[in-house]
Amino acid sequence: MGRMQTALRLIYPDQCLACEALVEGGQGLCGACWRETPFVLGLACDTCGAPLPGVPGEVAQCDDCLARPRPWRRGRTTLVYDGRARRLALALKHGDRADIVAPAAAWMRRAGRDLLHPGQILLPVPLHWTRLLRRRYNQAALLAQEIARLTGQPYAPRALIRRRRTPPQKGADAEARFANLADAIAPHPVHGAVLDGADVLLIDDVMTSGATLAASALAAASAGAARVDTLTLARAVRAP
Ligand SMILES: [Zn+2]
Ligand SMILES: [Zn+2]
């Protein structure tokens, strides 16, 4: 942030990320929006972070992760992809809302605090270069970069690549999503070398079926990653 922006921030409070209200600098959401945004606070799936009924502290898995074993060890998320959280994630992805990155990364750091540790490589899920050209940024990479800045951990935005474009996943069922993504993500022939023997935390904005995270985790493992965990901003869960 430039000196001018810092000076302005001292004078003017920030606007809430989700409404017109003004909030104290850096908090992201006003009190009303905070209460209406579905943060995952209680017991959650140890593998993907989806909220579960029960007492925090036990180790549990959601039905999705039980039905489909994941090629990573543990996973955390910050928000249920619904309501205000869904609007925030969509605004970050398509709306040029870079102002969401810093508060979202701070929330993710908190949700992932028991997974994050020094030396672990923060690895954003890659975007195909044609999508990157159109959108101009990869929201997963922005989140990973900001978490790296907060924690001082290494960040490897070029270690994985999308080998081919995959059709938009919206509307596809889980089987189709997994089929679409198979072999679509691979280690970069040069930059992928940092993953050999590494402890990796995959970062993405939204986990839906888990197909993209699975393809990325398998690519990291094929590059020699010793351990892969995941951290997402939001997790889409089926209505109960
Ligand atoms: Zn608000
Ligand atoms: Zn799960």
Side-chain angles (χ1 to χ4, degrees):
M1 185 184 300
R3 195 172 293 168
M4 189 63 186
Q5 276 170 294
T6 309
L8 286 174
R9 183 174 281 239
L10 292 175
I11 301 166
Y12 299 104
D14 290 335
Q15 194 175 354
C16 171
L17 294 174
C19 77
E20 305 288 307
L22 296 177
V23 294
E24 294 291 315
Q27 291 188 10
L29 294 169
C30 72
C33 289
W34 188 272
R35 283 188 296 277
E36 288 179 36
T37 300
F39 283 88
V40 178
L41 299 171
L43 180 65
C45 172
D46 192 49
T47 310
C48 74
L52 293 172
V55 185
E58 37 177 309
V59 174
Q61 278 191 301
C62 72
D63 289 346
D64 280 0
C65 291
L66 284 171
R68 187 187 298 277
R70 312 291 190 179
W72 65 81
R73 246 182 59 136
R74 299 201 284 167
R76 299 288 180 267
T77 198
T78 301
L79 302 161
V80 174
Y81 187 66
D82 195 14
R84 271 186 170 70
R86 182 168 175 277
R87 290 204 293 277
L88 281 175
L90 286 171
L92 174 63
K93 190 173 200 151
H94 301 292
D96 261 338
R97 289 284 308 277
D99 59 314
I100 296 171
V101 172
W107 301 338
M108 288 170 75
R109 183 193 189 185
R110 180 165 171 73
R113 62 194 179 281
D114 64 334
L115 297 187
L116 290 157
H117 59 268
Q120 176 193 49
I121 294 177
L122 301 176
L123 182 64
V125 164
L127 207 59
H128 193 264
W129 66 270
T130 54
R131 289 237 162 87
L132 197 56
L133 275 185
R134 199 171 57 226
R135 255 186 231 159
R136 301 199 308 281
Y137 60 89
N138 173 0
Q139 67 281 1
L142 292 181
L143 292 168
Q145 184 177 37
E146 178 63 11
I147 298 167
R149 196 186 66 77
L150 293 171
T151 62
Q153 289 178 223
Y155 156 66
R158 297 191 294 175
L160 296 182
I161 52 167
R162 289 250 185 183
R163 279 205 283 235
R164 54 184 173 79
R165 286 195 60 165
T166 44
Q169 299 281 63
K170 202 169 189 280
D173 68 16
E175 291 316 314
R177 285 169 184 253
F178 278 86
N180 285 343
L181 263 300
D183 298 324
I185 296 174
H188 184 283
V190 176
H191 305 301
V194 297
L195 300 175
D196 194 10
D199 203 338
V200 165
L201 186 64
L202 269 174
I203 307 282
D204 206 357
D205 55 345
V206 181
M207 172 175 168
T208 305
S209 66
T212 312
L213 284 172
S216 301
L218 291 172
S222 77
R227 175 176 163 174
V228 180
D229 293 313
T230 67
L231 178 60
T232 56
L233 174 61
R235 169 81 166 103
V237 292
R238 270 178 294 222

